Amino acid sequence: MSAIRIAPSLLAADFSYLAGSVASVAQEADWLHLDIMDGRFVPNITMGPMVVEAVRHKTDLPLDVHMMIVEPERYVEAFRLAGADSLTVHYEACPHLERVVSQIHESGALAGVAINPATPVDMLQDVLEELDLVLVMSVNPGFGGQSFWPRSLEKVRRLKDLRGDRDRPLIQVDGGINQKTAGLMKQAGAEVLVAGTAIFKAEDPGTAIRELRQA
Ligand code: DX5
Ligand code: ZN
């Protein structure tokens, strides 16, 4: 089994003190996860390329940008220029998914596709070989701090089956990941764990990351 990667989600961090929040996970995290929300694909509105760029100046960690926005193709370049290393778009937001994935690759970023709880993993079967990353949402996207959706475990197992003996796309999970669900997700086959609340609301984010890694 490949080593687990932990990607703290900045959504749960103190935005009045972003540089400090980033520093608090810098030693232990593998990636930094940034949630982009537009008030259309999801009800919430968060950050745009300017904030991603500001974070870019504060860390060398790979920036994993999760685009919960409609028409993500309009912003691929902007987020890449801002410093994103991977760009994940939602299957549900992309009628021409293969085209967007190519666009992301042409920008030089890794390409990911996320699926909402109601979207079967099998919808990605025909593009799977073109993806660097598949993000299985274990909550409905839009907010941090929601409870884990147990059926996502089955989706992770299904994705691992579909991938066969290849090691790409990486299997990432996001939403309600804590000490307990991290262990279950790892057993199911998840390789990248995104966690907001469990890390940034913990007394010591670095310790929380170590605990998730060992869960
Ligand atoms: C939710 C976001 C998540 C969020 C997870 O739409 O995609 O990345 O930050 O938050 P927790 O870990 O608190 O469930
Ligand atoms: Zn996310």
Side-chain angles (χ1 to χ4, degrees):
M1 195 198 291
S2 53
I4 202 88
R5 292 171 173 84
I6 309 289
S9 165
L10 217 50
L11 191 64
D14 180 351
F15 270 62
S16 68
Y17 186 53
L18 262 190
S21 301
V22 171
S24 73
V25 297
Q27 297 305 314
E28 301 291 342
D30 299 285
W31 298 357
L32 197 60
H33 183 86
L34 296 107
D35 289 298
I36 315 302
M37 305 187 190
D38 64 352
R40 292 186 64 204
F41 182 71
V42 289
N44 202 1
I45 300 179
T46 56
M47 63 186 105
M50 278 175 63
V51 177
V52 175
E53 190 178 349
V55 171
R56 175 76 290 165
H57 292 310
K58 297 293 173 191
T59 182
D60 294 328
L61 285 173
L63 298 187
D64 175 41
V65 172
H66 177 189
M67 301 170 81
M68 285 161 275
I69 67 176
V70 300
E71 300 176 358
E73 64 278 4
R74 295 175 58 200
Y75 294 97
V76 164
E77 285 315 313
F79 282 108
R80 175 64 180 154
L81 283 173
D85 294 284
S86 52
L87 288 166
T88 295
V89 296
H90 266 265
Y91 169 84
E92 302 83 4
C94 298
H96 302 289
L97 185 63
E98 201 273 335
R99 192 182 295 166
V100 185
V101 168
S102 300
Q103 186 190 0
I104 294 172
H105 279 147
E106 278 158 25
S107 82
L110 297 179
V113 174
I115 49 171
N116 284 340
T119 302
V121 167
D122 289 59
M123 303 307 278
L124 300 181
Q125 198 161 7
D126 291 343
V127 290
L128 214 55
E129 287 186 19
E130 292 168 51
L131 305 181
D132 300 296
L133 177 72
V134 171
L135 172 50
V136 176
M137 291 303 300
S138 37
V139 297
N140 273 302
F143 299 94
Q146 304 182 76
S147 26
F148 181 77
W149 189 62
R151 287 190 62 185
S152 57
L153 289 165
E154 188 48 48
K155 292 173 76 172
V156 168
R157 284 190 280 267
R158 173 71 186 149
L159 179 56
K160 201 166 153 53
D161 280 352
L162 283 179
R163 195 178 68 174
D165 50 18
R166 297 183 298 268
D167 59 4
R168 287 289 185 278
L170 288 169
I171 301 174
Q172 183 179 38
V173 293
D174 183 7
I177 301 298
N178 54 33
Q179 274 283 55
K180 184 166 162 248
T181 56
L184 298 173
M185 276 301 199
K186 276 196 248 178
Q187 273 171 13
E191 295 152 328
V192 187
L193 305 180
V194 176
T197 305
I199 293 174
F200 285 107
K201 305 292 191 218
E203 208 171 303
D204 177 36
T207 305
I209 294 173
R210 280 194 297 277
E211 287 171 357
L212 287 175
R213 205 183 292 287
Q214 286 154 14

